[in-house]
Amino acid sequence: MYGYAGRILYVNLSEGTFAVKPLPEELIRDYIGGRGFVARLVYDGIPPGADPLGPANRLVVASGPLAGTLVPGGAKAHLGAKSPATGGYGDSNVGGHLAAEMKYAGYDAVVIEGRFSTPCCLVVDDDRVEILPAGELWGQGAIAAEAALKEKLGEDFQIMIIGPAGENRVKYACVNHDFGRQAGRTGMGAVLGAKNVKAVAFRGTGSIRVARPGEMDEIARAMHRHAREHPAFGEWQRYGTAGVTKWANEIGCFPTRNFSTSYFEQHQRLHGEVMRERIVVGDKGCFCCIMNCGKYSRVRLGGREVYVEGPEYETTALIGGNFALGSIEEVAYMNYLCDDLGLDTISFGNVAGFVAECFARGLLTARDFEGREINFGDLEALVYLAEIIAYRRGIGDLLAEGVLPVARRLGGQALDIAMQVKGLEISGYESRNAAAMLLSYMTCDIGAHHNRSWAVTYDLAMGRTGTEGKAAQVIALQHIRPVFDMLGVCRLYWVELEMSLDYYARAYSALTGREVTWEELLKCAERVWNLTRLFWFREVPGFGRSYDLPPARVYREETPSGPSKGARIPLEEINHMLDEYYRLRGWDENGRPTPEKLRELGLV
Amino acid sequence: MRLKVFHERCTGCRTCEIFCSWANLQELNPRKAAIRIRASFPVPGRYSVVVCDQCGACIDLCPAGALERRGEVVVLDRAKCTNCGACREGCPSGAVFAHPDLPSPLKCELCGECARVCAAGALILEGEVGAGVRVCG
């Protein structure tokens, strides 16, 4: 088979068995790969009502057809399951070298089911599949554990691994890879931890076959050339996503102090330039990616020296702005700590900001924190929160559930300032002055995540708080993005370097010999988007429109400071956007896909 | 022509590896590349490039006389090679590689492909203008 490994590996941990099955033709045709495979295999393979942390949940890891090839940024693996964070559809992707290695080992996807009796590591070495005892790795930080496992297995192995937060089933535990890359969102680390899996390691010696080598070569080289000649390329290589921090403050979108405002008065101290000068020691690129947005940093703080990949923009936004840490060293240190504990920096930073605001309002007091105060900007308080959450100590046990369960426990005004949608904490764009971005968060199919439709630039172009026409753009972006995720390739060449979308359909066709147009790929993306929506309706009782609404802070409170001062999007405008969104999607007024739409997509 | 290596600029993306196997064997398989990136993480967090520097130590190691110097390049005659592994085991740089599916070892013969695709400036082919220019510092 061209472009694909052609096989899926099914591992049943409860039985300690595995099976290799051919990749079904209709799965390729309708779902392409990566996130598409994940969505279908999650929908079909998890019994309705399954406990996300029980053995009936399955974790699907999928590579994409363009991963491991010559296409720049062909490095993305997708992880998906029923999310313990939201109870709905969850997935998250990770770069590095995992996606490529899986394919060289001979698998387009790995489906992990059941639960092993004791902590273990799953090792996939070409055709050899083994379950090894995790031994002393269990309980170790993710960074040290990955180093130890590489030492044991060999450095060619590519590893996904969890920290203590995953072992302790923190609902926003991430999966780490390659000392600094994470599948951060929706609690995939908790799913692995609940299965008693500390790590999954891949090594492969096989080749990926190419249907039309000459054409593939030509397209791939044109893509590399386009990237290298783009005027923004050098800037991106130098700063990566950290370059966004300055811009997000200049436009008033930077989540600050639990999203109470969108401008951090100390943002200059967190800029990419400051980071590069003060802490970055090297650049780190994913497989066949020449943009190298990974920045490897060394931080000396309080007598400790730590190494960390990052901080990326999202971490700087949620740890820096949202908890008001005005020092790049402190943000980087927290980044290291979260990585090692295995906490998603986005959700953790969001929860921490929420706790600090509740503390300031008296909804939480020092009695809740063993006599400690939790104030914005206090690094020691933040370190304390990370540790009690990762180990579920004291109130950390509740905080480990995520911002929505905490707010429900506290009740009243806490719910208005719990910054989440569908139970997933909002990521790095405060959206009261960016209506399309707000709609993106509201309708994102995993909960409030930014990059399924990064619409903030559209708001800037079309008028910030205006809502007309925004729904159509959000839908368009929500269909473009999954194509990258299905193909297993990073979107940033398109987002940042204006790579023509047409390249991707041509590359896919040349690689696989399956003729496909960009429009056909978009149709597959729409199918994925509707399938994951159906999963929410199936799994979450009472799911519908109310789950697409943002927290009240967004429509009740005007932005108090910064470039977006005074901005607010009234609830009626929000509902107006949502009506238009549902109508354009072919969904009913409660946000359920209509039978006609499902027929059109072949989903009945 | 000579391949200059700047280890400190390497980002570990392995674009060189995948293009090496593609250019020389028409396969997408970094394990069939004649160049390898080694990672030292989490500390000190650096990459190093392992590639033949054409020193010629392997010429005398080869019992079959399959390796010979042609100008600046040490070339392997695959017809003569018995795949005994002596060159790989004795290479002072560890820059000769094996793959279970291949009848002879993988050794760089300086085609220059890796330098052409390296956008980090970690690999530069001396004598080829415009290749391997570091875009940023």
Side-chain angles (χ1 to χ4, degrees):
Chain A
M1 188 180 282
Y2 296 113
Y4 293 90
R7 306 191 303 174
I8 300 178
L9 173 65
Y10 288 84
V11 179
N12 185 325
L13 294 165
S14 301
E15 308 287 333
T17 56
F18 71 93
V20 178
K21 296 183 183 171
L23 186 62
E25 185 58 36
E26 59 276 15
L27 195 64
I28 298 174
R29 186 194 62 210
D30 294 342
Y31 295 95
I32 308 294
R35 180 169 152 197
F37 286 1
V38 166
R40 189 75 245 183
L41 293 167
V42 162
Y43 189 93
D44 290 344
I46 300 170
D51 174 4
L53 297 177
N57 198 8
R58 52 158 57 166
L59 181 76
V60 182
V61 188
S63 188
L66 294 185
T69 71
L70 307 172
V71 172
K76 287 287 195 178
H78 243 80
L79 279 65
K82 181 174 178 178
S83 166
T86 66
Y89 174 77
D91 74 26
S92 193
N93 75 72
V94 62
H97 301 265
L98 200 63
E101 201 67 32
M102 274 179 70
K103 282 178 74 180
Y104 303 140
Y107 310 99
D108 298 297
V110 178
V111 178
I112 304 170
E113 300 177 300
R115 172 189 286 157
F116 203 63
S117 52
T118 52
C120 70
C121 296
L122 178 63
V123 180
V124 181
D125 188 8
D126 283 328
D127 286 342
R128 190 171 62 86
V129 180
E130 273 188 296
I131 300 171
L132 303 177
E136 63 192 18
L137 295 182
W138 195 259
Q140 276 191 32
I143 296 170
E146 184 172 2
L149 193 55
K150 279 215 169 202
E151 181 78 31
K152 181 179 172 185
L153 297 174
E155 76 162 310
D156 288 342
F157 277 87
Q158 298 298 338
I159 295 168
M160 43 188 257
I161 195 159
I162 60 169
E167 297 171 13
N168 297 322
R169 307 174 186 194
V170 174
K171 298 287 176 68
Y172 41 93
C174 63
V175 174
N176 290 45
H177 162 59
D178 195 30
F179 307 101
R181 296 262 149 203
Q182 284 84 25
R185 308 236 65 196
T186 70
M188 294 300 114
V191 176
L192 265 188
K195 294 188 175 303
N196 261 333
V197 176
K198 177 71 176 179
V200 185
F202 295 95
R203 182 170 69 175
T205 57
S207 303
I208 299 166
R209 296 179 67 207
V210 183
R212 297 198 294 272
E215 201 179 320
M216 181 74 202
D217 184 83
E218 192 184 315
I219 294 163
R221 285 180 200 280
M223 294 176 86
H224 280 263
R225 197 164 50 243
H226 170 92
R228 291 174 71 154
E229 288 171 357
H230 193 277
F233 181 60
E235 184 88 350
W236 192 270
Q237 273 194 322
R238 190 161 176 75
Y239 302 115
T241 62
V244 177
T245 305
K246 179 168 184 261
W247 176 79
N249 278 281
E250 284 170 355
I251 64 167
C253 265
F254 194 65
T256 303
R257 293 185 178 80
N258 195 35
F259 292 79
S260 62
T261 189
S262 53
Y263 176 81
F264 184 39
E265 64 284 356
Q266 297 177 68
H267 71 90
Q268 290 90 348
R269 300 174 67 189
L270 306 178
H271 286 185
E273 291 90 336
V274 174
M275 175 176 151
R276 182 97 209 174
E277 191 185 316
R278 294 177 69 99
I279 60 172
V280 174
V281 293
D283 299 314
K284 205 158 169 275
C286 296
F287 184 83
C288 201
C289 179
I290 56 174
M291 288 172 80
N292 55 257
C293 68
K295 302 296 144 218
Y296 204 66
S297 299
R298 180 182 59 208
V299 183
R300 295 190 177 100
L301 200 69
R304 286 195 71 184
E305 181 182 83
V306 299
Y307 287 75
V308 61
E309 183 174 339
E312 294 261 353
Y313 167 73
E314 287 293 324
T315 301
T316 299
L318 274 300
I319 299 283
N322 208 47
F323 198 77
L325 281 191
S327 145
I328 194 69
E329 284 85 357
E330 292 186 359
V331 173
Y333 181 78
M334 281 311 300
N335 193 163
Y336 157 80
L337 189 62
C338 287
D339 288 2
D340 200 43
L341 291 169
L343 290 167
D344 171 30
T345 55
I346 296 175
S347 283
F348 169 71
N350 185 310
V351 168
F354 171 79
V355 167
E357 184 166 8
C358 287
F359 193 87
R361 291 181 178 216
L363 299 171
L364 289 166
T365 68
R367 277 197 307 281
D368 296 309
F369 299 98
E370 305 170 89
R372 280 176 177 268
E373 297 197 349
I374 307 292
N375 295 314
F376 284 116
D378 180 354
L379 175 68
E380 293 308 314
L382 198 56
V383 169
Y384 169 77
L385 287 178
E387 287 173 349
I388 63 168
I389 288 169
Y391 292 98
R392 286 184 172 271
R393 281 204 321 260
I395 196 173
D397 192 41
L398 172 62
L399 302 179
E401 296 295 301
V403 77
L404 184 58
V406 183
R408 285 194 176 130
R409 183 77 64 88
L410 297 175
Q413 53 176 302
L415 277 164
D416 297 346
I417 57 166
M419 303 309 290
Q420 56 75 39
V421 180
K422 298 181 183 62
L424 189 73
E425 292 78 13
I426 303 178
S427 57
Y429 297 89
E430 201 289 315
S431 313
R432 275 174 288 185
N433 200 15
M437 194 65 227
L438 178 64
L439 184 65
S440 301
Y441 276 126
M442 290 160 53
T443 58
C444 174
D445 65 349
I446 58 168
H449 193 52
H450 57 286
N451 67 14
R452 315 300 271 243
S453 153
W454 192 67
V456 60
T457 50
Y458 187 76
D459 288 311
L460 286 172
M462 306 302 288
R464 304 285 292 268
T465 51
T467 53
E468 275 321 304
K470 298 274 170 94
Q473 176 68 9
V474 168
I475 292 168
L477 291 170
Q478 285 175 341
H479 288 172
I480 294 172
R481 170 58 201 261
V483 177
F484 288 92
D485 297 341
M486 292 188 297
L487 293 172
V489 66
C490 184
R491 73 207 176 277
L492 288 174
Y493 285 85
W494 165 65
V495 176
E496 301 295 338
L497 302 180
E498 302 173 279
M499 188 72 76
S500 164
L501 293 172
D502 187 49
Y503 275 127
Y504 294 92
R506 287 170 54 206
Y508 178 80
S509 300
L511 173 69
T512 63
R514 297 161 189 271
E515 299 315 307
V516 68
T517 62
W518 178 254
E519 286 65 34
E520 287 164 340
L521 291 172
L522 286 179
K523 204 69 192 168
C524 293
E526 186 181 7
R527 183 176 298 116
V528 169
W529 200 272
N530 279 268
L531 182 67
T532 53
R533 187 75 178 179
L534 291 178
F535 188 83
W536 281 94
F537 274 102
R538 192 184 84 182
E539 296 299 324
V540 179
F543 184 78
R545 187 184 189 100
S546 66
Y547 282 77
D548 292 334
L549 291 174
R553 162 161 274 165
V554 172
Y555 48 85
R556 285 208 194 122
E557 293 177 26
E558 285 187 0
T559 310
S561 61
S564 292
K565 188 172 178 183
R568 176 179 73 94
I569 302 175
L571 187 56
E572 68 207 45
E573 289 289 307
I574 287 171
N575 274 311
H576 170 72
M577 273 199 300
L578 205 50
D579 285 336
E580 193 183 358
Y581 178 90
Y582 290 164
R583 186 175 54 76
L584 292 172
R585 274 221 169 274
W587 294 357
D588 68 17
E589 67 282 359
N590 195 34
R592 185 190 285 273
T594 58
E596 298 77 48
K597 177 51 77 177
L598 294 179
R599 262 198 299 280
E600 177 195 320
L601 296 169
L603 286 173
V604 276
Chain B
M1 212 164 66
R2 201 164 76 90
L3 186 65
K4 285 192 77 176
V5 179
F6 298 86
H7 300 280
E8 70 282 3
R9 295 176 180 175
C10 177
T11 67
C13 71
R14 300 164 66 208
T15 304
C16 52
E17 292 183 11
I18 191 76
F19 271 89
C20 176
S21 76
W22 179 250
N24 291 290
L25 300 173
Q26 292 72 54
E27 289 196 48
L28 295 179
N29 188 342
R31 299 282 188 272
K32 292 186 178 176
I35 183 169
R36 302 294 163 94
I37 304 305
R38 298 275 178 247
S40 304
F41 284 83
V43 179
R46 279 199 287 268
Y47 296 100
S48 55
V49 183
V50 185
V51 64
C52 174
D53 62 1
Q54 315 297 334
C55 77
C58 54
I59 297 172
D60 294 336
L61 292 169
C62 178
L67 286 148
E68 63 169 351
R69 182 173 290 284
R70 282 190 210 152
E72 287 165 314
V73 188
V74 176
V75 179
L76 173 68
D77 182 341
R78 285 174 178 76
K80 287 187 188 167
C81 174
T82 63
N83 206 21
C84 70
C87 55
R88 181 167 50 83
E89 285 154 23
C91 173
S93 309
V96 180
F97 309 99
H99 188 284
D101 299 344
L102 294 177
S104 54
L106 295 147
K107 186 207 161 294
C108 169
E109 293 180 357
L110 220 51
C111 74
E113 186 64 8
C114 56
R116 276 172 222 122
V117 298
C118 178
L123 297 162
I124 290 175
L125 207 56
E126 276 188 338
E128 206 171 87
V129 178
V133 178
R134 176 73 170 160
V135 181
C136 76

